[in-house]
């Protein structure tokens, strides 16, 4: 049986009402409901206030909602009131789950801490509710049917705990109860070095399609195209998605670098691994970000050996062999310094490839000649040659965005060269 | 007159219900309302559907809301229904504003386009509503009092248009109507090395207070306490907030590291700068993250000279002088290796302090003896001594969190030693 009932998302937290945090949980749940094909017409945000939470619940029930999904307010502090409020709404007593008490106690012990009375409150759930286990934190949620045709799910506000609990327990529970039998399956295609509008124009005829749908997203230099279709099984979806994805990838050419969970760092890693080549980095303006991106990929030690963070000029000279006269003549932010950094790290660590990067991340330090956002990236190659590229990022970008975009840009250059693409 | 009535935010857009975009507009408006001291207990998200929009309006009016702030659904496409739906709710006809028609026509002409009949719909507003001008786009909003004690404001969904309209027109309109005379001022106190519940218990009597309010937040190893009060001026607020903040800081002891925009990296930077000391890092498991955190702070070149990303053991040995026999005997993840890394980078770059870090970030590479989450951090000190600490982070933490927490932990150890705190 496939039900067509609707779900509402209720996010509890004064920090949302104060604008302290973005409501990323609502977005995640909305995407998940869409993928499961569960209708969803309303989201509400309410503070940690029992009366207002109950009023919002009543409004949702008046709208015939049949799945209420709560996030937030499950923690150990006195203002975490969601569980008790839901129990009170349905005039159901709270009961303590000994297994959860033991789990909480053990988790605190692992962290070298003692479970307090407040911590223990997290083991209380309404009588009759199933525990929604939280493998990553101390606060479990509930899966409860307090009355016919109504499912209540609660999650902590911590996004990574919520995501894991949703995937592990909530989806199976919903499916076992007749929801989400036909899912939306999708593939995200990832592109670098092209604007959203330019890519959208190039693949315009696909964006007009109704099945699969093709929707563009953009952020921090990357553009994604999400290719999606509704199907009963992953393999049925793949028959619709894959041919279109292949056509888009063909049309997009070099800009396409990977799909779904791929990153520029993981793709570079795959290309290096496949040819048993190695990489080292010499970072000035990015200060370690390229290394951090590369080592974010499990198993990266196979091809990424390390690098030097050459933030001070003395480090560039003494540890990378940059000619001090070049710094005097051309400045630390120059093509020659980037090249000598790349050559230096390649030689010093003995890798096949070396990346050198130097730039003006701002907000201070810019000049008319070398404004904020000017970045030089150099690549020392296995054949002994070195090439460098100059980028002028928008002067409206902040320090963080300039550093992030130039770190990714350096990985994209390496990706292109590993694929033997010349610009 | 200062009104104490409450506002609700109603975001209209199917893209929010599908999870295609984050609701950054709600966060912006929530922050603005908080700063203006306008109470705000509810946010709603609803699709481009007249019946559901009207139902959400009725719920808000039933809750005695006196300011309704809409975003989204003002554009030129057929599914932009917000304005017509609001007019219909109050049984008020729409009228066309000739000045807005002219403005829209001119803006389309500037972009080389011709105004269509759909575009022209953007000039329709309920009879009696004032235009809320949109200097950055074609869709204006409204400022309307359809009945006593009720203000309606509408904004397009495009964030930068909405922000500008809010600042230019909505704030003055609200203030002219008696709202926002008294603002909320707040300070965030930041803590490291303590759990949210342990800190909350320690400062429990402050969390019970009503003025100022003290609310805890936690994430990625950090705990924050937000101390907030309503006042007419910043200095009046400071008289209420500052004494309580000082008491909390006193009670929290070493766990407190800074406030508001401070980070562990910026606080360490201030401490190093104040004593003209310098720092270098040798990173294995964090792969450059400590350097990236330090150089995220503008002006960090004054005290952070650089470092070595020693991901491969060969780099630890050849560039940091780690004894290869120590790696054989104790493993690369060991106290001795961390210590030799710290001493090595201190000597190599010639800084006052050196940090060395090595650990098992996972998901693979763990063993019974050295599980995922085991991290050694060492600090080489100006007096030539070195100390190291062993941490066992939760085996449930993912790679990213293990790396982030241990990177911050290493900065916290340095902070403590710079403050002459011994554990």
């Amino acid at each position: 049986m496939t039900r067509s009932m609707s779900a509402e998302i209720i996010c509890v937290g004064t920090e949302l009402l104060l604008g302290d945090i973005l409501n990323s949980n609502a977005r995640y749940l909305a995407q998940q409901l869409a993928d499961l094909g569960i209708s969803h017409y309303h989201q509400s945000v309410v503070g940690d206030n029992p009366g207002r939470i109950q009023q919002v619940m009543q409004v949702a029930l008046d709208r015939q909602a049949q799945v209420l999904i709560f996030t937030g307010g499950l923690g150990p502090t006195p203002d975490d009131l969601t569980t008790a409020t839901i129990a009170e709404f349905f005039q159901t007593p709270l009961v303590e789950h000994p297994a959860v008490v033991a789990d909480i106690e053990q988790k605190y012990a692992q962290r070298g801490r003692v479970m307090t009375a407040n911590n223990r409150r997290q083991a209380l759930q309404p009588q009759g509710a199933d525990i929604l286990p939280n493998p990553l934190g101390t606060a479990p949620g509930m899966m409860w049917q307090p009355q016919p045709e109504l499912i209540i799910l609660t999650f902590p506000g911590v996004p990574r705990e919520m995501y894991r609990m949703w995937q592990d327990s909530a989806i199976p529970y919903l499916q076992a109860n007749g929801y989400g039998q036909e899912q939306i399956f999708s593939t995200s295609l990832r592109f670098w070095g092209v604007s959203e509008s330019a890519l959208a124009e190039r693949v315009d005829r696909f964006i007009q399609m109704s099945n699969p749908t093709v929707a563009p997203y953009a952020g921090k230099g990357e553009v994604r195209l999400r290719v999606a279709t509704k199907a009963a099984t992953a393999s049925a979806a793949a028959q619709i998605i894959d041919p279109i994805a292949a056509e888009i990838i063909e049309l997009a050419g070099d800009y396409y670098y990977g799909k779904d969970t791929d990153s520029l760092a993981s793709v570079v890693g795959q290309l290096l691994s496949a040819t048993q080549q190695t990489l080292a980095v010499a970072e000035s303006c990015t200060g370690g970000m390229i290394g951090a991106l590369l080592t974010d990929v499990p198993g990266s030690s196979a091809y990424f050996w390390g690098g030097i963070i050459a933030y001070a000029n003395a480090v560039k000279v003494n540890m990378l062999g940059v000619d001090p006269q070049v710094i005097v003549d051309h400045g630390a932010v120059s093509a020659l310094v980037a090249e000598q950094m790349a050559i230096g790290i390649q030689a010093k660590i003995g890798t096949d490839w070396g990346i050198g990067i130097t730039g003006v991340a701002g907000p201070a330090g810019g000049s008319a000649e070398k404004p904020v956002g000017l970045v030089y990236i150099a690549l020392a190659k296995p054949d002994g040659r070195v090439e460098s590229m100059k980028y002028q990022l928008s002067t409206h970008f902040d320090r963080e965005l300039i550093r992030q975009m130039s770190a990714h840009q350096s990985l994209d250059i390496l990706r292109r060269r590993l694929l033997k693409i010349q610009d």
Side-chain angles (χ1 to χ4, degrees), chain A:
Chain A
M1 177 194 59
T2 300
R3 298 197 197 178
S4 61
M5 316 320 184
S6 83
E8 294 207 13
I9 298 169
I10 300 175
C11 300
V12 181
T14 305
E15 66 274 28
L16 290 166
L17 294 180
L18 292 172
D20 284 343
I21 56 172
L22 264 169
N23 196 349
S24 55
N25 286 346
R27 184 196 183 178
Y28 175 84
L29 289 168
Q31 278 177 327
Q32 291 290 316
L33 290 171
D35 286 354
L36 288 168
I38 298 176
S39 300
H40 160 238
Y41 304 121
H42 294 278
Q43 295 169 10
S44 304
V45 175
V46 63
D48 302 286
N49 175 296
R52 293 197 195 102
I53 293 171
Q54 294 195 354
Q55 188 270 337
V56 167
M57 291 174 70
Q58 191 58 56
V59 166
L61 296 183
D62 291 346
R63 285 190 290 233
Q64 312 292 327
Q66 300 203 281
V67 181
L68 297 190
I69 304 171
F70 291 82
T71 69
L74 303 192
T77 65
D79 63 348
D80 288 310
L81 301 162
T82 302
T83 305
T85 302
I86 293 170
E88 192 188 289
F89 184 92
F90 293 105
Q91 300 179 310
T92 303
L94 291 168
V95 295
E96 190 177 81
H97 291 248
V100 176
V101 176
D103 180 62
I104 294 171
E105 199 158 20
Q106 190 213 334
K107 281 173 177 162
Y108 279 94
Q110 271 181 358
R111 303 173 192 176
R113 290 171 183 160
V114 174
M115 182 180 71
T116 65
N118 268 341
N119 300 153
R120 188 169 181 142
R121 286 178 53 234
Q122 298 172 109
L124 296 172
Q125 296 292 351
Q127 197 160 47
D130 290 328
I131 294 291
L132 204 175
N134 181 351
L136 302 179
T138 55
M142 72 172 85
M143 302 183 289
W144 190 28
Q145 300 196 34
Q147 61 192 42
E149 305 289 304
L150 179 63
I151 289 174
I152 304 248
L153 301 171
T154 62
F155 297 88
V158 181
R160 59 180 209 100
E161 296 178 15
M162 194 269 278
Y163 302 163
R164 175 75 180 273
M165 293 163 72
W166 176 266
Q167 295 292 339
D168 283 5
S169 304
I171 292 178
Y173 183 83
L174 287 168
Q175 290 179 330
N177 283 283
Y179 293 91
Q181 309 291 348
E182 211 184 37
Q183 299 189 37
I184 292 177
F185 293 87
S186 68
T187 293
S188 280
L189 307 179
R190 295 175 174 276
F191 307 86
W192 186 267
V194 62
S195 74
E196 181 180 9
S197 56
L199 183 65
E201 275 185 35
R202 196 185 273 212
V203 300
D204 183 53
R205 66 189 172 94
F206 297 106
I207 290 177
Q208 309 294 332
M209 288 178 69
S210 59
N211 187 31
T213 57
V214 179
Y217 303 93
K220 295 182 181 172
E222 181 182 89
V223 181
R224 283 185 297 127
L225 291 176
R226 182 175 188 265
V227 187
T229 191
K230 197 177 265 197
T233 64
S235 63
Q239 289 186 9
I240 295 166
I241 289 174
D242 291 357
I244 300 299
E247 284 192 67
I248 291 173
I249 290 168
E250 176 74 27
L251 261 180
D254 307 343
Y255 298 128
Y256 171 78
Y257 75 81
K259 62 174 67 168
D260 298 327
T261 57
D262 287 339
S263 64
L264 281 167
S266 73
V267 168
V268 161
Q270 288 156 18
L271 292 169
L272 289 169
S273 291
T275 50
Q276 295 188 300
Q277 296 186 85
T278 56
L279 171 67
V281 297
E283 305 188 52
S284 182
C285 60
T286 47
M289 288 177 83
I290 303 174
L293 288 170
L294 286 162
T295 57
D296 195 36
V297 180
S300 43
S301 56
Y303 49 83
F304 177 65
W305 284 7
I308 288 178
I309 303 169
Y311 213 55
N313 284 345
V315 177
K316 295 184 183 78
V317 171
N318 298 332
M319 294 179 61
L320 288 166
V322 172
D323 180 350
Q325 194 59 43
V326 167
I327 297 182
V328 171
D329 293 345
H330 299 266
V333 178
S334 61
L336 268 177
V337 167
E339 290 173 13
Q340 293 189 355
M341 289 171 68
I343 295 168
I345 198 67
Q346 180 193 40
K348 195 100 184 182
I349 302 201
T351 49
D352 298 302
W353 297 83
I355 290 174
I357 184 166
T358 178
V360 188
S367 64
E369 200 195 346
K370 296 189 175 174
V372 169
L374 175 68
V375 179
Y376 291 91
I377 300 174
L379 199 58
K381 306 176 182 188
D383 63 7
R385 287 186 302 171
V386 62
E387 69 169 318
S388 64
M389 275 109 335
K390 175 183 175 178
Y391 296 93
Q392 179 61 57
L393 301 174
S394 168
T395 49
H396 299 295
F397 288 177
D398 65 14
R399 181 177 177 88
E400 191 190 343
L401 192 55
I402 288 168
R403 282 154 43 92
Q404 276 192 359
M405 286 191 62
S406 54
H408 283 96
Q409 183 63 40
S410 71
L411 294 173
D412 191 57
I413 293 169
L414 176 56
R415 174 185 74 86
R416 288 167 169 267
R417 295 305 173 268
L418 287 166
L419 290 170
K420 314 227 183 296
I421 299 165
Q422 292 301 326
D423 298 315

